[in-house]
Amino acid sequence: MELSRRYEGSHATASPSGCFIAYIINSKLRVSLIYNLEDRPDFPIKIAPKDITALKCCSDGIHIVLLSNNLIEVCSTDRDSRGIRIDNGGRALGSMLAVDFVRPHHLLTCWEFGTAKVWDLKTAKAIDLPDLKTAGTGSPWQERPKPNPTVHTLALLARPAAEDTLTLYFPELCRSTEPIKLPTVDAQAISWSPDGCWLAVLDTPTASPCVHFYTPDGLLYNSYPAETAQGVNDGLSIKAISWSARHVALSRFDGSVDLLNNITFRPVATIEHTLTIAQSTLPEHQRALIWRESISASHERSYSLASRPISLPVSRTKHSIEPAELGVAEVEISADGRYLATRDERMLSTVWFWNIYTTSAHSVVIQHQNVRQIQWHPTLVSLVMLDCGEGIAYLYDLASHDPPRPINVPLPGSAKLSWVHTDFETVPAVLAATKSGFRVLYPEGRDCLVNADQMESRLSAEIYDEGTSEDSLADILSGRKPVTTGQSHTERLAQEVNEAGGYDGSTLDDTFRERRRTAEEEVDPLDDSQIF
């Protein structure tokens, strides 16, 4: 384990490629290579550091954007490229609310009154995208992952004339589809599947229990729950949505999680969190490990296996009726789709880990403090980090039988922890950042991260390779066969829908409850349009 010294600077952000860390220091933008933080060129900026509200790095490793209420500044790490500034002028559209890269040479800007523009950084021209919906709980836009290499797709939620619409915009073509009217009352967020084959639209939980699934060309494919099964909505329904390569998890306000097959969108399992864990009817080898953290008088942290039955600590001190504080607090799926991590709002210090492939509870971790965030490593698929807001990175490898490993990252204030998304499968790195400084944690050491020649070549690369699609041949839950090559997406979908069936599995302590469904005739709305 190796820990860098503390570096002064605000808004520290790791690039998507994991090559460098960008931050603000002495009214300049500084870029430090991840393997050598002392190598740090500076770039002049016009925005005062106190006015910066966000800093984002582009996937190409060249462009970095700074956001303030009245000015957006795009800096380039390539000395031969010039910077770009977007001024808010008289603020007729309100303050600048958000900014995001759409491919390396297109920039999406959003104002607080709903106006959005997509700027071509090469030509300095902009396309207006009016009536963008900014009042939802999630992001009103999302770029399609793993797109066609020549034509990219940006999905946007809008609300003109009191109706929700979906628009698909193509930056390279400078045009978009006609607005698609949505069957939602008040759409809250959109979400692409990891392979870019599905787009989910989440409706408001107070008026509709549905999440709607669309094809990449904007055709409604399915809704969950189905209209025939909705009945009367007597409470809050779906809270958030999380994707994996084979499944989609829908967290609910009642504390449960529905796990769906992401081809048929039929439920294959339901997860429920209980205040007491017994598992008395299960053999010992099938029982989930329960790790409990304890702190000694000398502030040393350790874990021990808890005996059963065990009552989990309730972290809520008072009853709340706020929607954000009800039901499931967090649902995170590992990069390979094998493991699922969940937290319940009633037990914020407890993290549940589930093995999706075997439909069983893998382990439970009870922390001394409430968990602030769960983060799976992007390439080490069984490694997860727990952040409790104490400046301690809890690294837990589910492939081993060892408890979480607490690693202290001392920084004044409450440091925010995040993985540095390197492309090297066996070398993790953690960025710990506060408002005034940051440190980098190398759990396996810095020397094995990457050599200088490799890193510099990655830093100067024009386009960042986003990786290949995860497509496991063994799907235990649905029992689907491997997809053969040479078929169109429509043909593969028809084959998989016909072959997909309910999972005939065992129940673990009433925690996973299998739900079989009879096969229903489904319409295939996909076409093989070359633009997608």
Side-chain angles (χ1 to χ4, degrees), residues 246 472-475 478-484 495-496 499-500:
R246 292 298 190 185
S472 173
L473 297 180
D475 190 332
S478 65
R480 294 198 305 271
K481 295 180 181 179
V483 178
T484 59
Q495 176 183 337
E496 291 182 344
E499 294 175 353

Side-chain angles (χ1 to χ4, degrees), residues 198 213-215 219-222 263 265 493 497 522-525:
W198 303 107
F213 298 97
Y214 285 80
T215 61
L219 294 177
L220 179 61
Y221 177 73
N222 208 338
I263 294 296
F265 297 106
L493 177 64
V497 168
E522 298 187 22
V523 179
D524 177 12

Side-chain angles (χ1 to χ4, degrees), residues 227-525:
E227 293 183 2
T228 57
Q230 288 177 21
V232 179
N233 183 28
D234 57 356
L236 298 176
S237 182
I238 298 172
K239 185 174 184 178
I241 181 171
S242 300
W243 292 90
S244 74
R246 292 298 190 185
H247 306 95
V248 55
L250 304 178
S251 58
R252 291 179 169 272
F253 286 93
D254 63 2
S256 65
V257 178
D258 286 347
L259 194 65
L260 313 181
N261 180 296
N262 70 358
I263 294 296
T264 62
F265 297 106
R266 298 170 182 163
V268 293
T270 295
I271 296 172
E272 292 184 347
H273 303 92
T274 59
L275 292 172
T276 302
I277 300 177
Q279 297 183 327
S280 57
T281 60
L282 294 176
E284 183 66 31
H285 69 278
Q286 293 183 6
R287 297 180 182 181
L289 299 174
I290 303 176
W291 295 106
R292 182 192 289 272
E293 182 190 19
S294 59
I295 303 177
S296 66
S298 59
H299 302 287
E300 293 183 0
R301 300 171 184 269
S302 61
Y303 285 87
S304 59
L305 287 173
S307 58
R308 303 175 184 84
I310 179 175
S311 296
L312 300 176
V314 177
S315 58
R316 180 171 294 171
T317 57
K318 62 180 180 179
H319 180 71
S320 175
I321 60 175
E322 292 293 329
E325 299 177 0
L326 297 175
V328 179
E330 193 173 7
V331 174
E332 298 293 337
I333 303 178
S334 62
D336 64 344
R338 176 179 294 274
Y339 297 109
L340 180 72
T342 62
R343 282 194 302 134
D344 190 287
E345 287 285 357
R346 299 168 299 172
M347 303 165 280
L348 293 177
S349 62
T350 302
V351 181
W352 304 65
F353 294 97
W354 317 84
N355 189 320
I356 299 178
Y357 289 176
T358 61
T359 63
S360 61
H362 177 276
S363 57
V364 179
V365 176
I366 306 172
Q367 293 292 114
H368 187 266
Q369 296 288 338
N370 288 348
V371 178
R372 181 167 64 177
Q373 189 177 18
I374 305 169
Q375 297 183 60
W376 290 101
H377 193 273
T379 54
L380 297 172
V381 294
S382 63
L383 182 62
V384 66
M385 177 172 62
L386 306 181
D387 181 6
C388 298
E390 303 172 292
I392 299 175
Y394 293 90
L395 305 184
Y396 182 34
D397 188 355
L398 274 68
S400 70
H401 293 283
D402 299 326
R405 178 171 56 137
I407 303 177
N408 188 24
V409 187
L411 278 172
S414 179
K416 182 179 180 180
L417 306 178
S418 60
W419 290 113
V420 178
H421 290 211
T422 61
D423 290 336
F424 305 96
E425 297 183 356
T426 59
V427 185
V430 178
L431 172 65
T434 64
K435 294 181 178 180
S436 59
F438 71 94
R439 304 182 78 165
V440 178
L441 170 66
Y442 310 91
E444 306 300 331
R446 186 185 315 195
D447 294 339
C448 61
L449 184 63
V450 66
N451 64 53
D453 293 336
Q454 288 177 319
M455 184 62 72
E456 289 175 357
S457 64
R458 289 176 182 271
L459 183 62
S460 61
E462 234 183 34
I463 299 295
Y464 169 58
D465 181 8
E466 293 183 345
T468 56
S469 175
E470 304 271 355
D471 193 14
S472 173
L473 297 180
D475 190 332
I476 298 177
L477 288 182
S478 65
R480 294 198 305 271
K481 295 180 181 179
V483 178
T484 59
T485 59
Q487 292 178 307
S488 68
H489 179 73
T490 303
E491 293 170 338
R492 294 198 306 268
L493 177 64
Q495 176 183 337
E496 291 182 344
V497 168
N498 291 332
E499 294 175 353
Y503 174 74
D504 186 11
S506 59
T507 301
L508 175 61
D509 197 25
D510 290 333
T511 306
F512 273 93
R513 299 186 303 178
E514 306 305 320
R515 297 179 178 180
R516 298 185 186 180
R517 293 292 184 270
T518 59
E520 300 175 357
E521 183 179 355
E522 298 187 22
V523 179
D524 177 12

Side-chain angles (χ1 to χ4, degrees), residues 133 137 157 164 184 186-191 200-205 208-212 224 237-241 250-251:
K133 191 167 187 177
T137 57
L157 273 181
D164 291 330
T184 54
D186 185 13
Q188 297 297 299
I190 56 178
S191 175
V201 180
L202 185 62
D203 205 352
T204 178
S208 172
C210 278
V211 56
H212 305 283
Y224 180 82
S237 182
I238 298 172
K239 185 174 184 178
I241 181 171
L250 304 178
S251 58

